[in-house]
DNA sequence: CTGTTAGCGCATTCAT
DNA sequence: ATGAATGCGCTAACAG
């Protein structure tokens, strides 16, 4: 017969289709379809058994593409990630995956690698694959390139960053609260000069919010009791030259502060690692993990392994190496961010018509050695 | 007319189809299809212009699903990643993406989060979406669950790990060479006790190879001049209790070595951070970054910030924090691994019938403070 | 309960 | 050079 001998599955040259199964089971395609969609109550046990057998024999797997084409939904959602290199993104992803899993969705993950052009390309590609919705954590998307998405197009929810001009659900860290939390921590620790270091804003709303909140907290402090001073430094990590320039400036500024207080060892500071005479009074507040890493590497190069005794460091984001390096951080509820994003998206896919919602989740301060005096 | 007024694209409730475009352009669907497939030579400039206009007006985007259904290939490939948390994976991914981009493929990234069950699920899901091939970097897939794949099924290429019983292309680090390289480095540095620390083998061939190469290098050394001793420690990172137990054992062993040479402070070793009297003669060789991080964290907890003066650490994989922590590593050519994997896969998708090939790429030793004496 | 029919959006013969 | 017809694999009315 045409039945495949049990021991030797000669690797089907062509995947079986629903028609094959129908023939094999001696019935119509409809019944097969019904079986696939779990409409068991409407199938005689006898038929059902035959179908089951046929499916097994043919190792049949329904073609999702075809199903999608027919019913108009393919259970695919797009997940646009600006930078997978950032542990934050990976963690969010885990939440997304878990939620998708739970809701029967399949996330199509697109990694734009910090390239705005890539983001555009992927967004368009996702559209082309007719994803039912997208979760966007992008660097440079503008309202226009997201036009097909969001509004009248496919549902979208933003992660971490708002997109100007686009009304869509958003879920992310409560940036104001987080930056305030961090700033106050540094103030309480008695640091007198605090630099908030952040990447160029591009279109990333969260970066702006964090800076603003930092400024706000600094001002509030000055109003009360403080004399601490806050500064902002923009660091374009994508541009090595710019980074070097900016860090050199930062170094000079730090030297000025130090010399003004203890020894006058300004200039290029020849690894003053072993002179903890002048307790650190300057702190760096990194807006996210990549920035923090860049700063830490620089500080280590400049002050040696004991750089922590010279300048304090605090970072939003809590990468796994923070513990190892002993860096105080503000951990984001990444997993939950991802999970909620999918939930929001799902509601809209299912037709919910609510206004755009914002879901701001709180960060958690994790104090380590880098900010203790 | 039904033409949409230029200024107000009221957000198409339903995406335009090829039929819409045909109607809009006043022609048949065939011509549209030809236009989409770049068969320009066969279209009158006049018609071509009309089509272009219609497409623009309707913001038409061909439905990839439908195309795929028709022509039997959807340009989708699956990329199964065991653990995105491991920077190695993300880096490989970048290579994969670049190659896909160049070849007109769309990678469907699946993150199994170190769960064998997930791997099975995703593999089956990919099959269901009729991907044209898969790149597999999995933890526990067996030949059987990969049966539909590989052999007679869809093309597959393995990354980093071989799958027993499955004949498929493989690309990854030259593990033997890399482990040998690392071992010899430690030997040259004069370390006398070296522990190779690795996660449970599961079905991961690369882990076995690394251990073997380590043993081999140690034996070779003993044969010549050495008296250094090599040990192996299996660390199940997924099981906190096991980790604790194993590390405790390691601690005792290290203490034994130390006491045998200088002071006899065995036992629980109360943070001997400030007794650099006994130069480190023991080294830990981590089989990959997650293991290295685990070890580093433990050492730091036990010996304090100066743990590096007590025991050396070397790791395969070169995560970004290695530089910060000053850990010697063997960097894998991750990007290239990903790129090559896609190239291999593409060849097979295009019908190449070569035997299974192995592509072993060399690792690069990056010496940092953690292994200098 | 079960089978027949008619498309989903597109690429492809095959005519014209 | 162009269009009409057919079918990819599947679901969703409609009949029986």
């Amino acid at each position: 017969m045409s039945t495949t001998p049990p021991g030797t599955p000669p690797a089907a040259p062509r995947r079986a289709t629903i028609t094959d199964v129908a023939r094999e089971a001696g019935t119509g395609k409809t019944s097969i379809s019904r079986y696939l969609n779990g409409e068991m109550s409407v199938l005689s046990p006898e038929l059902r058994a035959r179908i089951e057998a046929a499916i097994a024999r043919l190792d049949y797997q329904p073609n999702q593409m075809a199903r999608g084409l027919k019913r108009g939904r393919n259970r695919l959602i797009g997940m646009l990630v600006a930078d997978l290199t950032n542990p934050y993104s990976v963690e969010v992803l885990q939440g997304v995956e878990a939620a998708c899993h739970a809701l029967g969705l399949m996330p199509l993950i697109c990694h734009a690698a910090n390239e705005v052009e890539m983001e555009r390309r992927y967004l368009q590609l996702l559209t082309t694959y007719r994803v039912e919705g997208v979760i966007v954590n992008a660097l440079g998307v503008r309202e226009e390139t997201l036009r097909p998405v969001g509004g009248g197009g496919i549902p979208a929810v933003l992660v971490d960053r708002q997109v100007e001009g686009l009304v869509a659900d958003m879920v992310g860290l409560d940036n104001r609260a987080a930056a305030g939390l961090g700033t106050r921590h540094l103030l309480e620790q008695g640091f007198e000069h605090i630099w908030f270091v952040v990447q160029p804003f591009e279109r990333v709303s969260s970066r702006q919010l964090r800076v603003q909140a930092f400024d706000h907290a600094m001002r509030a402090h000055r109003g009360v009791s403080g004399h601490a001073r806050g500064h902002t430094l923009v660091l374009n990590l994508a541009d090595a030259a710019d980074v070097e320039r900016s860090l050199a400036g930062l170094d000079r500024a730090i030297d000025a502060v130090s010399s003004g207080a203890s020894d006058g060892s300004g200039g290029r500071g020849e690894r003053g690692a072993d002179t903890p005479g002048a307790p650190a009074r300057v702190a760096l507040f990194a807006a996210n993990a990549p920035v923090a890493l860049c700063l830490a590497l620089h500080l280590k190069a400049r002050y040696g392994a004991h750089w922590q005794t010279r300048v304090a460091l605090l970072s939003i984001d809590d990468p796994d190496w923070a513990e190892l390096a002993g860096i105080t951080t503000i951990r984001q509820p990444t997993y939950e961010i991802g999970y909620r994003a999918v939930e929001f998206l799902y509601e809209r896919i299912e037709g919910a018509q609510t206004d755009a919602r914002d879901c701001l989740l709180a960060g958690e301060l994790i104090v380590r050695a880098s900010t203790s005096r």
Side-chain angles (χ1 to χ4, degrees), chain A:
Chain A
M1 301 297 106
S2 70
T3 348
T4 326
T8 323
R14 189 185 55 91
R15 297 237 54 140
T17 78
I18 200 175
T19 310
D20 300 328
V21 179
R23 192 182 331 105
E24 178 81 12
T27 176
K29 315 198 294 185
T30 309
S31 297
I32 311 298
S33 176
R34 291 203 175 104
Y35 176 88
L36 295 178
N37 294 303
E39 303 172 33
M40 300 308 185
S41 57
V42 110
L43 292 175
S44 69
E46 197 273 329
L47 214 204
R48 180 176 161 179
R50 263 157 54 214
I51 294 180
E52 234 149 30
I55 288 185
R57 228 170 305 147
L58 269 40
D59 186 29
Y60 168 69
Q61 316 223 166
N63 182 329
Q64 285 298 340
M65 297 307 180
R67 308 183 97 174
L69 187 56
K70 185 62 195 163
R71 33 161 60 146
R73 31 184 264 182
N74 52 20
R75 307 281 78 182
L76 245 32
I77 70 168
M79 167 82 207
L80 182 59
V81 181
D83 180 17
L84 269 183
T85 267
N86 188 338
Y88 166 85
S89 303
V90 175
E91 289 170 22
V92 169
L93 205 50
Q94 321 228 121
V96 168
E97 285 162 343
C100 281
H101 187 159
L103 295 172
L105 298 174
M106 170 79 165
L108 244 170
I109 301 166
C110 300
H111 178 202
N114 278 328
E115 304 221 26
V116 178
E117 175 55 21
M118 274 283 167
E119 293 179 350
R120 228 188 32 67
R121 254 180 50 97
Y122 269 130
L123 235 22
Q124 125 97 29
L125 205 52
L126 287 173
T127 270
T128 256
Y129 277 101
R130 295 297 188 274
V131 295
E132 297 183 42
V134 279
I135 295 180
V136 176
N137 166 237
L139 186 65
V141 281
R142 299 150 172 272
E143 195 269 340
E144 34 172 306
T145 103
L146 227 38
R147 173 69 53 88
V149 167
I154 62 181
V157 10
L158 274 15
V159 161
D160 185 71
R161 311 117 145 70
Q162 207 74 64
V163 169
E164 55 174 293
L166 181 72
V167 288
D169 295 335
M170 202 278 267
V171 22
L173 177 69
D174 185 337
N175 286 298
R176 274 184 250 272
L181 184 64
T183 308
R184 263 174 272 118
H185 169 69
L186 292 175
L187 256 12
E188 284 164 12
Q189 295 295 308
F191 294 103
E192 294 168 346
H193 285 266
I194 307 180
W195 268 269
F196 192 84
V197 189
V198 62
Q199 288 172 276
F201 297 157
E202 311 267 340
R203 316 196 150 277
V204 181
S205 62
S206 53
R207 294 185 187 158
Q208 303 182 37
L209 285 177
R210 290 173 191 182
V211 175
Q212 287 169 16
F214 168 71
D215 284 342
H216 182 78
M218 288 304 294
R219 258 198 303 280
H221 179 258
R222 284 180 80 87
V224 186
S225 61
H227 53 292
R229 290 210 41 188
H231 320 75
T232 297
L233 178 65
V234 174
L235 211 53
N236 185 359
L237 294 184
D239 178 351
D242 176 87
V243 168
E244 189 167 359
R245 208 175 318 123
S246 301
L247 291 180
L250 181 61
D251 286 342
R252 279 193 299 277
I254 293 179
D255 288 341
V257 170
S258 303
S259 67
S262 54
D263 68 299
S265 75
R268 304 225 84 221
E270 56 280 21
R271 297 193 158 233
D274 305 282
T275 55
R281 298 208 326 280
V282 11
L284 268 28
F285 190 163
N288 64 12
V291 167
L293 183 62
C294 176
L295 290 175
L297 283 171
H298 174 72
L299 293 175
K300 188 194 171 202
R302 186 156 199 254
Y303 299 110
H306 299 346
W307 58 270
Q308 301 231 10
T309 63
R310 301 299 295 276
V311 12
L313 182 56
L314 165 62
S315 173
I316 291 183
D317 282 348
D318 184 51
D320 51 13
W321 49 265
E323 173 69 23
L324 181 60
I327 295 174
T328 297
T329 63
I330 296 175
R331 169 194 283 276
Q332 300 196 45
T334 47
Y335 183 90
E336 195 179 355
I337 290 176
Y339 207 101
R340 297 293 286 267
V342 174
E343 288 181 333
F344 274 13
L345 188 60
Y346 191 72
E347 290 174 18
R348 292 213 120 78
I349 289 178
E350 298 300 292
Q353 287 293 351
T354 349
D355 306 315
R357 297 159 289 183
D358 272 21
C359 175
L360 266 28
L361 272 18
E364 175 195 1
L365 180 69
I366 301 180
V367 180
R368 298 202 181 88
S370 74
T371 56
S372 65
R373 298 187 63 180

